[in-house]
Amino acid sequence: MDTDNLLLKAEGAVAEQLGAPAVDGPRVSAPRPTEQDTVVVLDFGSQTSQLIVRRVRELGVYCELLPYDTPIGEIEQLKPAAFILSGGPASVYEPGAPQLPPYVLGSGVPVLGICYGMQLLTRAFGGRVEPAAQREYGPANLHRVTDSPLLDGFEGDFPVWMSHGDRVADLPEGFEALAASPNAPTAAMGKGSVLGIQFHPEVAHTPRGAEILSNFLFGVAGLRPTWSTLSFIETAIEQVRSAVGDGRVLCGLSGGVDSAVAAALVHRAVGDRLTCLFVDNGLLRRGEAEQVVETFGRHMKMNLVAVDAQERFLAALEGVADPEEKRKRIGNTFIRVFEEGAARLGRFDFLAQGTVYPDVIESASPERPAAQRIKTHHNVGGLPADLRFKLVEPLRYLFKDEVRQVGLELGLPEEIVWRHPFPGPGLAVRLLGPVSRERLDTLRAADAIMQEELQRADLMRDTWQAFTVLLPVRSVGVMGDNRTYADAVAIRAVTSVDGMTADWAKLPYEVLGRMSSRIVNEVAGVNRVVYDITSKPPATIEWE
Ligand code: XMP
């Protein structure tokens, strides 16, 4: 993956763009609902660990994902009411394989081991794990062999998703097999509130997975479903308020979802003591700068300072065609403009930023190679010494869909909440070749048509990103009786879960047709439209 592409965070949280200490800086407010039942998922490196957390939260129980070797002190702060052990790629007997931390069984709270997690439990209780004669990947049919609260409501066969090479050969003493599959006589096991399952209840391919997790959370562990984005908002507001006290908070708005929701939440908590700074770099889509001012300034009545820095960015970009050079110049200009803007607004004690949970998980877990990160914490420059703030990160424990939900509940308009990710360097990296005001205007006009048609066809939410790219190519056309020799525009639309991999979106031909004919008819200087049908990899989502 082209990690250099990711110098600026996808939705442009300002502190990251500024190089504020994203990981080790003083952090004051990252609300955790400590009074609620909390489940800790220990991550042994499975690709689906995050999904376990999401499923548990969907069931109304607050849940966090922590690396398996998290120090006990950090775990204790969360007062876990149950543990779930994730799957993982290792084999429990392998030298150096991640081990079960002693506090899990020592705590006496219910434990559910999934796949590798179940094998760890087997070993911890004196059972035996061995390589299965036949690896089992994909769908399998299970049948219950004993009544148990974990499988309450399950009769006959039920399909699950398996992905394992090892299996439980001898059950530990006192454990019972609860379910079996053709390749795994122990596909589920348990003793009291310590349970193991060989399959993955968190994936969509286990259709009744949520029921099994629900049986564990409520039937076995007796937890209460008190977590929701509404309860989160209440806790977050209280915590931000008490952390900020009489202090002043600065928030950089980029127009993206994360910074918008963070600002809205902090505004609810501290009102006028929040000031939002919005830098109009002239590289935004049509109407975006106006919408930020309208929504946050007029509608939500926040203290909003919009800095028009279009000329400065254009000057910095003059004649620059190289994508990385564009990024560098945009990053540096941004820091300077933001710094100057902030300095004019007086002293601030806090900087609010829209860090979201996947950023936190990815920077915390040594199991996940940097190459897999979509939002890197690479910075574009150091935060100047006199710009040291404490961070307020109210969304630090939320997934993107939860952030959107919070945004809606706080009254943000749908167009902001459902906005596609937009790169920090904006249209500069969607305009191949040198940046100029004229070419930006051409691209903006084409892009606006594409967005309009996408919205009209109600396809915004079916695509991860959809945009136009102005190519450094001219081609021959004919308009009326005249020959044209004009620019070509590419339409890029992708589907994706997290931006790490993507497929080109199969937009209906009629929609593509309307986009194309409107662009060539309405945008002066464009006579050809092409559709990009490459997936990522091997291409990246952006063209630069
Ligand atoms: P690529 O093009 O690498 O992009 O497939 C993956 C995701 O990251 C966004 N992107 C960026 N975001 N600064 C950002 O803030 C950048 O320099 C940048 N480059 C790419 C891209 O829009 C997609 O969502």
Side-chain angles (χ1 to χ4, degrees):
M1 181 171 108
D2 181 7
T3 45
D4 284 342
N5 249 0
L6 302 172
L7 281 176
L8 301 175
K9 185 172 172 278
E11 272 157 359
V14 167
E16 257 172 53
Q17 294 190 357
L18 279 171
V23 181
D24 48 5
R27 176 166 292 116
V28 293
S29 187
R32 277 172 149 156
T34 41
E35 297 316 312
Q36 299 189 34
D37 290 339
T38 296
V39 172
V40 166
V41 176
L42 287 183
D43 185 6
F44 292 91
S46 159
Q47 292 296 320
T48 54
S49 299
Q50 280 195 39
L51 279 181
I52 306 173
V53 180
R54 299 176 67 126
R55 296 289 102 84
V56 171
R57 290 193 188 180
E58 280 161 17
L59 290 165
V61 176
Y62 184 66
C63 185
E64 283 193 27
L65 181 68
L66 293 169
Y68 72 91
D69 55 358
T70 303
I72 181 166
E74 220 179 292
I75 303 275
E76 276 171 352
Q77 279 178 18
L78 287 167
K79 303 192 201 102
F83 284 102
I84 297 181
L85 315 175
S86 83
S91 187
V92 285
Y93 293 117
E94 236 168 67
Q99 296 302 315
L100 184 65
Y103 59 68
V104 172
L105 298 175
S107 69
V109 302
V111 182
L112 175 66
I114 295 175
C115 197
Y116 185 78
M118 158 157 141
Q119 293 158 11
L120 282 174
L121 289 174
T122 304
R123 200 166 167 216
F125 282 95
R128 196 167 61 84
V129 176
E130 64 174 16
Q134 223 174 342
R135 287 158 166 253
E136 208 176 9
Y137 291 110
N141 263 334
L142 249 59
H143 58 274
R144 219 169 67 163
V145 292
T146 319
D147 274 354
S148 83
L150 186 68
L151 297 177
D152 194 27
F154 285 76
E155 307 295 338
D157 283 5
F158 54 98
V160 299
W161 189 260
M162 293 282 198
S163 175
H164 64 114
D166 288 356
R167 67 176 197 178
V168 174
D170 295 327
L171 276 170
E173 211 178 303
F175 277 74
E176 279 186 296
L178 309 178
S181 79
N183 273 316
T186 305
M189 65 173 205
K191 177 184 169 191
S193 62
V194 178
L195 297 144
I197 49 183
Q198 187 57 72
F199 56 92
H200 290 269
E202 69 276 19
V203 301
H205 296 93
T206 299
R208 296 180 67 190
E211 259 176 86
I212 292 170
L213 287 172
S214 160
N215 282 346
F216 172 69
L217 299 172
F218 308 120
V220 175
L223 308 186
R224 292 156 302 164
T226 49
W227 157 261
S228 68
T229 42
L230 272 180
S231 70
F232 164 84
I233 291 174
E234 274 168 37
T235 318
I237 289 174
E238 264 169 48
Q239 292 192 2
V240 171
R241 202 172 275 156
S242 85
V244 168
D246 294 334
R248 289 182 75 211
V249 188
L250 178 66
C251 179
L253 278 182
S254 65
V257 186
D258 299 344
S259 63
V261 177
L265 199 54
V266 174
H267 184 244
R268 277 278 175 97
V270 305
D272 275 357
R273 269 172 295 119
L274 169 73
T275 302
C276 292
L277 186 54
F278 168 65
V279 174
D280 182 356
N281 59 13
L283 306 170
L284 301 172
R285 286 165 290 195
R286 182 180 280 172
E288 249 174 359
E290 294 79 1
Q291 193 189 25
V292 168
V293 174
E294 175 65 32
T295 303
F296 296 94
R298 276 195 269 287
H299 178 62
M300 302 189 81
K301 306 214 176 344
M302 294 188 193
N303 279 332
L304 172 71
V305 179
V307 180
D308 180 354
Q310 300 192 38
E311 292 301 334
R312 262 175 90 168
F313 280 87
L314 267 183
L317 286 168
E318 193 169 342
V320 179
D322 177 71
E324 290 317 303
E325 187 59 26
K326 285 181 188 172
R327 281 193 168 77
K328 206 164 97 198
R329 292 189 185 209
I330 293 167
N332 290 339
T333 310
F334 180 83
I335 291 170
R336 279 201 303 277
V337 173
F338 192 84
E339 231 183 318
E340 289 165 17
R344 276 198 300 273
L345 296 170
R347 220 187 85 77
F348 289 93
D349 313 277
F350 301 93
L351 184 73
Q353 73 165 1
T355 311
V356 295
Y357 199 37
D359 305 340
V360 176
I361 291 175
E362 280 165 19
S363 59
S365 173
E367 303 301 307
R368 296 173 198 290
Q372 289 181 6
R373 289 179 197 159
I374 183 59
K375 295 181 177 179
T376 76
H377 285 252
H378 291 182
N379 295 320
V380 289
L383 188 69
D386 56 349
L387 251 186
R388 288 259 163 227
F389 306 97
K390 291 187 203 137
L391 296 182
V392 181
E393 298 180 311
L395 313 178
R396 193 174 160 78
Y397 295 101
L398 296 189
F399 289 106
K400 190 79 173 190
D401 45 355
E402 294 169 332
V403 170
R404 291 206 159 103
Q405 192 55 39
V406 168
L408 290 174
E409 278 157 10
L410 290 171
L412 286 176
E414 297 239 342
E415 310 88 80
I416 287 194
V417 169
W418 286 103
R419 188 162 271 180
H420 285 159
F422 188 64
L427 298 184
V429 291
R430 294 180 176 174
L431 183 162
L432 278 55
V435 179
S436 68
R437 186 182 287 280
E438 197 192 352
R439 298 193 79 217
L440 279 169
D441 287 343
T442 305
L443 177 57
R444 240 189 296 270
D447 193 70
I449 291 172
M450 134 116 230
Q451 302 291 337
E452 257 175 55
E453 291 300 331
L454 201 70
Q455 258 159 13
R456 189 179 300 174
D458 202 14
L459 290 168
M460 282 300 279
R461 294 189 200 178
D462 296 330
T463 44
W464 165 265
Q465 277 173 300
F467 51 89
T468 50
V469 182
L470 182 59
L471 304 181
V473 167
R474 285 202 288 169
S475 74
V476 175
V478 52
M479 281 187 181
D481 291 330
N482 297 320
R483 174 188 190 271
T484 58
Y485 187 52
D487 284 329
V489 160
I491 294 175
R492 177 68 161 154
V494 297
T495 55
S496 176
V497 175
D498 50 18
M500 292 194 293
T501 58
D503 197 4
W504 59 280
K506 315 295 181 290
L507 294 185
Y509 286 166
E510 316 80 74
V511 176
L512 286 169
R514 269 199 304 276
M515 288 171 176
S516 165
S517 75
R518 280 196 58 199
I519 290 173
V520 290
N521 280 308
E522 296 174 33
V523 183
V526 176
N527 68 353
R528 190 175 296 269
V529 174
V530 296
Y531 191 43
D532 179 351
I533 54 166
T534 2
S535 61
K536 171 185 178 175
T540 52
I541 296 175
E542 304 289 346
W543 276 46
E544 284 198 334

